[in-house]
Amino acid sequence: MAATSLRPNPSGHSQQELRRMRRRALLALRYVILLVLALLFLFPIAWSFINSIKLPSEALAVPPTYLPSEISLKNYEELTTYGKIGIAQHVYNSTVVALITVLGSIVLSTLGGYGFARFNFPGKNVLFVMVLSTLMIPFQSILIPLFVMIVQVDLHDTLFGLALVYITFQLPFGIFLMRNSFLAVPQEIEESALLDGCSSISILYRLMLRLVLPGIVTVAIYAFINSWNEFLAALIFMSDQDKFTLPVFLTTVRYGIWGDVNWGALQAGVIVSIIPSLAIFLALQRYYMDGLMGGAVKN
């Protein structure tokens, strides 16, 4: 068998060399495909950035110019003075809403996931199925009931009220992910802590949170990105223009004073809105992948 595998074929290569060359060719083809896909996904971002650094007249040119004649930051400067307060206040509004959403989603999802994973109580499975079933309900269909509830508690047109709405949207997925993250931790670790005299709250705070950190980071990333980019609920629940979040503000940037499309300023706003989500994901992607692969696939 060894002699046969080493016997050269008419082209002068042995069977092992041919298999090695075939593996290298397949690996090169795989990298080429991945590179093409990466370029396709990055092209819209690159195109937005190129348009954002063009002169306003070039950004509105028909047909469009592919590269700017000179690098200009006038589109970004226009965002700082657009409307009454500029983009800074709207970035602040989105940041406040996103931080409240992240904090609330982490706390409630962690407590809910820990309860479903480690405690037995009547109707536990039924209640968990009810929580998961809300994932199948389009959030647009419950916006009106939520709006009525927010108005009744006098939180309409407030950043905190909008954050509560976003937390409501995030909880089903967050509880599901954190429950599976806690189930992935061997129960013997908690039993040892109980023998040492720790309470359930102490175990959760001192021990379990460190073990399920990837799941917590995953919930935080999902909550931040979804709240940062969400448009419909922010448009419905906010009526004061000074409290608009960034996505709603960008819709007002799209049209100029005379009704023309201000593409340069709009693309500059898109780049500004992309930066926080991209930076957070790149900084925490290791925990994000561990959270998805380590906790979300456990039963």
Side-chain angles (χ1 to χ4, degrees):
M1 295 293 294
T4 303
S5 61
L6 295 176
R7 183 185 306 166
N9 60 10
S11 63
H13 298 286
S14 66
Q15 294 295 330
Q16 289 183 352
E17 291 177 345
L18 288 175
R19 285 195 293 268
R20 191 180 300 111
M21 294 171 61
R22 191 178 297 113
R23 286 195 297 268
R24 291 177 180 175
L26 291 176
L27 182 61
L29 178 61
R30 182 183 306 174
Y31 279 117
V32 169
I33 294 175
L34 293 176
L35 179 61
V36 171
L37 291 176
L39 292 176
L40 288 176
F41 281 106
L42 291 175
F43 175 77
I45 300 177
W47 183 253
S48 296
F49 177 73
I50 291 174
N51 281 284
S52 70
I53 60 176
K54 290 180 179 178
L55 293 171
S57 58
E58 291 182 342
L60 297 173
V62 178
T65 57
Y66 294 100
L67 294 175
S69 59
E70 63 176 283
I71 297 178
S72 172
L73 298 180
K74 291 184 178 179
N75 292 316
Y76 293 92
E77 294 175 0
E78 183 176 352
L79 287 178
T80 61
T81 58
Y82 194 90
K84 296 186 299 181
I85 54 179
I87 193 175
Q89 179 62 41
H90 300 289
V91 171
Y92 171 79
N93 296 340
S94 291
T95 302
V96 171
V97 172
L99 291 178
I100 296 175
T101 303
V102 169
L103 181 60
S105 299
I106 289 176
V107 172
L108 296 178
S109 298
T110 301
L111 294 177
Y114 186 64
F116 280 117
R118 290 295 188 250
F119 295 98
N120 293 318
F121 50 88
K124 169 184 172 180
N125 294 330
V126 175
L127 182 59
F128 183 68
V129 171
M130 291 177 61
V131 172
L132 291 185
S133 65
T134 59
L135 291 172
M136 298 182 291
I137 302 176
F139 80 93
Q140 295 88 345
S141 63
I142 61 174
L143 282 179
I144 294 179
L146 284 175
F147 180 83
V148 174
M149 295 173 60
I150 291 296
V151 170
Q152 289 179 348
V153 296
D154 200 22
L155 289 177
H156 171 248
D157 206 22
T158 63
L159 300 179
F160 182 72
L162 181 61
L164 290 181
V165 174
Y166 290 158
I167 292 173
T168 303
F169 297 156
Q170 298 300 320
L171 276 183
F173 172 77
I175 291 175
F176 168 75
L177 180 63
M178 292 309 301
R179 170 185 175 271
N180 292 340
S181 297
F182 283 115
L183 289 177
V185 179
Q187 197 164 359
E188 290 77 7
I189 296 178
E190 294 178 77
E191 294 174 352
S192 300
L194 287 173
L195 293 176
D196 291 336
C198 294
S199 62
S200 298
I201 298 298
S202 180
I203 292 174
L204 175 63
Y205 173 72
R206 297 178 181 274
L207 179 64
M208 297 297 291
L209 291 183
R210 300 178 183 179
L211 299 178
V212 298
L213 181 60
I216 294 175
V217 173
T218 303
V219 172
I221 291 176
Y222 266 84
F224 180 86
I225 293 178
N226 289 334
S227 61
W228 183 267
N229 296 324
E230 206 281 330
F231 169 77
L232 182 59
L235 180 64
I236 293 176
F237 285 87
M238 310 300 290
S239 57
D240 186 355
Q241 292 187 5
D242 294 345
K243 296 180 181 179
F244 280 170
T245 57
L246 190 55
V248 180
F249 168 73
L250 292 181
T251 62
T252 65
V253 176
R254 187 170 186 265
Y255 296 98
I257 299 176
W258 304 108
D260 56 333
V261 180
N262 196 343
W263 288 112
L266 177 60
Q267 298 301 328
V270 169
I271 295 300
V272 172
S273 65
I274 288 175
I275 291 175
S277 299
L278 184 62
I280 290 177
F281 177 79
L282 292 178
L284 302 176
Q285 62 176 334
R286 178 171 64 89
Y287 297 101
Y288 171 76
M289 296 305 300
D290 290 344
L292 287 182
M293 301 303 297
V297 299
K298 298 289 183 179
N299 292 323

